[in-house]
Amino acid sequence: MKNKSFYIAMSCMLALGMIFSACATATDNSTEATDASSETVSSEPVTIRYWHTMSDTETAKFDEVIAAFEAANPGITVEATRYAADDFKTALTTAIAGGDVPDTARLDIAWVPQFASQGALMQLDGALPDFDTIAAGVFPGPLSTNEWEGHYYGLPLNTNTQVLVYSKDAFTAAGIESAPTTIDEFVGDACKLTDASTETYGFAQGGTYFWASAPIFYAMGGKVTDDAITTATGYINGPESVAAFTVLKDLYDRDCLSPNLLGGGIATDAGSGSGKYAMIIDGPWMVDIYKSNYPDFNYGFALVPAGKDGTSSVVGGEDVVVLDGSTNKEAALKWVTYLMSPEAQKTMAQAGVIPTLSSLVGDPELPAYFSVFMEQLKTAQARVPSPAWDDMDTAIGNAYQRILNGDQTVQESLDQAAAEINALLTK
């Protein structure tokens, strides 16, 4: 009987063990189900809104970028909205004021400091996981356009700069073998290529706005303000800046610089394409302009002629930002990271958009004509990253007009511009 009782007890214990084991398994399965349910909840589909002003060609190619990102990031949808360039800033300002902002946007490089100073943009350094790595891999000029008060509020999405565009036929006819490499050669060639009797000019600019004069200005060592953006005195009216505008004034007085920059006359694209202007300084978009309007024009690109410290030019392009009012910042940061990838940048290059990644210099997948622009970008400089830039631009442009018209000497006019810019910096 004793043995029988022992076996009965053991059987009961085994049965209880099986019951507890089944309960534990059920509990574990329930926990896994709960975890899975939580995962589903935390990874609900997200739509991030992206605003831009791309062209038809760029927009078509951009659709491929969106599709690739969405395929690599299931659950995240990109809703891209295209605006006309003239309407975009107003639309964004209105959205910020109303508290209903896009998650991300592509902004003109001059706008980032303006919107950052208003608290409208998310600080990316310290928030974007790969920020330091991405920042180290882009051209320094474009990157600098995103800095405001020691922090970065965007990344350079696409870029451009200006280089010398010259007529090969005009150079051959004048017995000039190659494009000028120094400012002195440039001045000599401009006058040699000028024929006042036929109103043919060696050099032409699109206007007196700073973008037009900036390549020569920067190449000759000109600066608008100090690095800390606290004063213009000694910079916009300093010796290097005065020398740059003196060169342009002398070219104008000798009829080697077309008078069209003060209004009237032939635009630079038409004038160069039709043989009226032997040299202009312009951007990569000229390739499509010439292809469409002047298919027989025989032209070349070259670096901006160098001053004593080498060549330089001005940075253009757009930056990508995350709006501080975004409710989908995590997904937006993933999108920004992808836009800065070699894959996305090379896809957009097929639409004529120059990448900002310095590692892509010389990449065989890029259009051949990109090479001179990307070489120029190594030393190209950004305009002053300040909320007051638009007014600074006006002050410099007005000074240039006074110089050309002979209303003031170069020094007097730039002294006035320095005083005007200083007033802007103290507001």
Side-chain angles (χ1 to χ4, degrees), residues 70-388:
E70 291 178 344
N73 295 273
I76 301 179
T77 300
V78 177
E79 179 185 282
T81 302
R82 177 183 173 188
Y83 283 85
D86 292 342
D87 301 333
F88 188 41
K89 194 172 187 180
T90 299
L92 191 59
T93 300
T94 301
I96 292 169
D100 183 20
V101 297
D103 299 288
T104 59
R106 188 186 81 154
L107 304 187
D108 183 281
I109 58 174
W111 297 355
V112 174
Q114 297 175 20
F115 284 109
S117 69
Q118 299 168 16
L121 305 181
M122 180 183 180
Q123 179 186 316
L124 295 188
D125 54 307
L128 185 69
D130 297 326
F131 179 84
D132 289 341
T133 301
I134 295 172
V138 300
F139 294 114
L143 177 64
S144 71
T145 66
N146 294 279
E147 187 177 5
W148 171 247
E149 295 190 335
H151 292 287
Y152 290 87
Y153 293 85
L155 281 165
L157 181 59
N158 53 266
T159 189
N160 59 65
T161 187
Q162 297 187 86
V163 300
L164 187 73
V165 187
Y166 65 100
S167 167
K168 291 184 176 181
D169 291 341
F171 270 60
T172 298
I176 304 173
E177 295 182 357
S178 60
T181 59
T182 68
I183 292 295
D184 287 343
E185 290 178 358
F186 166 71
V187 170
D189 289 348
C191 289
K192 190 173 183 178
L193 291 160
T194 294
D195 184 349
S197 66
T198 59
E199 295 186 341
T200 301
Y201 298 93
F203 181 53
Q205 292 180 313
T208 56
Y209 43 84
F210 185 69
W211 175 259
S213 60
I216 297 297
F217 178 83
Y218 284 139
M220 293 190 66
K223 292 192 70 174
V224 176
T225 71
D226 63 326
D227 292 340
I229 318 177
T230 60
T231 183
T233 301
Y235 296 92
I236 190 60
N237 62 340
E240 292 83 2
S241 301
V242 170
F245 280 106
T246 297
V247 164
L248 294 170
K249 168 65 169 170
D250 288 347
L251 285 172
Y252 181 78
D253 287 346
R254 295 166 62 189
D255 292 328
C256 303
L257 171 60
S258 170
N260 72 288
L261 79 168
L262 287 175
I266 305 173
T268 51
D269 59 342
S272 57
S274 64
K276 286 292 185 181
Y277 306 147
M279 292 185 291
I280 63 172
I281 294 178
D282 221 316
W285 43 84
M286 299 308 296
V287 171
D288 288 334
I289 290 174
Y290 291 144
K291 185 184 296 183
S292 298
N293 302 327
Y294 307 97
D296 297 327
F297 179 41
N298 184 22
Y299 65 94
F301 289 130
L303 297 177
V304 173
K308 61 182 177 64
D309 295 324
T311 183
S312 189
S313 190
V314 61
V315 169
E318 285 82 24
D319 296 327
V320 60
V321 301
V322 176
L323 278 295
D324 192 60
S326 167
T327 56
N328 302 302
K329 287 189 173 72
E330 184 177 350
L333 290 174
K334 287 184 178 180
W335 170 236
V336 167
T337 299
Y338 182 74
L339 288 176
M340 297 303 301
S341 69
E343 294 77 17
Q345 296 252 314
K346 287 200 282 189
T347 297
M348 291 308 299
Q350 297 171 26
V353 176
I354 296 180
T356 58
L357 301 180
S358 58
S359 62
L360 295 180
V361 172
D363 191 295
E365 294 182 44
L366 301 182
Y369 71 88
F370 275 18
S371 60
V372 66
F373 291 96
M374 296 185 80
E375 183 65 28
Q376 188 73 76
L377 280 163
K378 292 178 180 179
T379 56
Q381 301 176 56
R383 289 157 287 180
V384 180
S386 166

